[in-house]
């Protein structure tokens, strides 16, 4: 799970057009699947992987295939939730933000150059 999250963070840093979405955001999300857990913190325009599991605000659980689709941006968060592949414990506004971040970070290296 950590490897998938680290790969996502690597792609995210290349996508400068998404930084405006998280400029004033402060959330911690724990992602859980059978392969393990990963916690991502989004704070003051930066996104990072946390080692400690203290004071987690939101949680997303599901199978490893659904997590892979989410982190790679091939399927949206709410679609995976509607299909029953993921369970999201976060308000709608946070869910929409996370969905946007993951979907816009997918492998579109050329998109950052256009925007």
């Amino acid at each position: 799970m950590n490897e998938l999250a680290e790969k996502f963070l690597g792609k995210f840093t290349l996508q400068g057009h998404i930084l405006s979405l998280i400029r004033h955001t402060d959330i911690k999300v724990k992602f859980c699947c059978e392969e393990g857990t990963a916690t991502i913190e989004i704070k003051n325009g930066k996104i990072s992987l946390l080692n400690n599991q203290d004071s987690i605000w939101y949680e997303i659980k599901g199978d490893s295939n659904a997590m892979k689709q989410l982190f790679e941006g091939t399927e949206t968060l709410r679609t995976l939730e509607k299909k029953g592949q993921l369970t999201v414990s976060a308000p709608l506004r946070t869910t929409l933000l996370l969905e946007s971040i993951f979907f816009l970070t997918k492998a579109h290296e050329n998109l950052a150059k256009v925007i």
Side-chain angles (χ1 to χ4, degrees):
M1 188 67 215
N2 273 340
E3 182 180 318
L4 193 59
E6 287 172 3
K7 199 176 194 182
F8 165 76
L9 292 177
K11 285 193 298 186
F12 180 85
T13 57
L14 299 175
Q15 306 291 335
H17 63 283
I18 303 171
L19 293 176
S20 62
L21 282 176
I22 65 167
R23 186 170 293 134
H24 303 290
T25 303
D26 187 10
I27 59 174
K28 293 179 187 175
V29 184
K30 181 178 177 181
F31 297 88
C32 304
C33 70
E34 61 270 5
E35 293 181 5
T37 63
T39 303
I40 291 180
E41 179 181 44
I42 303 171
K43 188 172 186 174
N44 298 328
K46 296 185 186 204
I47 188 167
S48 59
L49 194 58
L50 294 180
N51 291 328
N52 61 357
Q53 304 284 320
D54 297 337
S55 66
I56 304 304
W57 300 351
Y58 309 115
E59 190 171 70
I60 298 175
K61 292 181 181 181
D63 63 56
S64 58
N65 185 46
M67 285 294 179
K68 184 177 182 193
Q69 289 178 327
L70 175 67
F71 276 88
E72 291 178 350
T74 57
E75 191 65 80
T76 64
L77 179 57
R78 290 183 308 138
T79 300
L80 291 167
E81 183 180 25
K82 285 178 187 173
K83 290 180 179 179
Q85 295 176 324
L86 290 179
T87 304
V88 180
S89 65
L92 180 60
R93 187 174 184 157
T94 302
T95 302
L96 291 171
L97 174 66
L98 292 169
E99 179 175 79
S100 299
I101 290 168
F102 283 109
F103 194 70
L104 292 172
T105 302
K106 66 182 173 181
H108 284 302
E109 290 85 16
N110 296 328
L111 185 60
K113 294 175 188 171
V114 172
I115 298 176

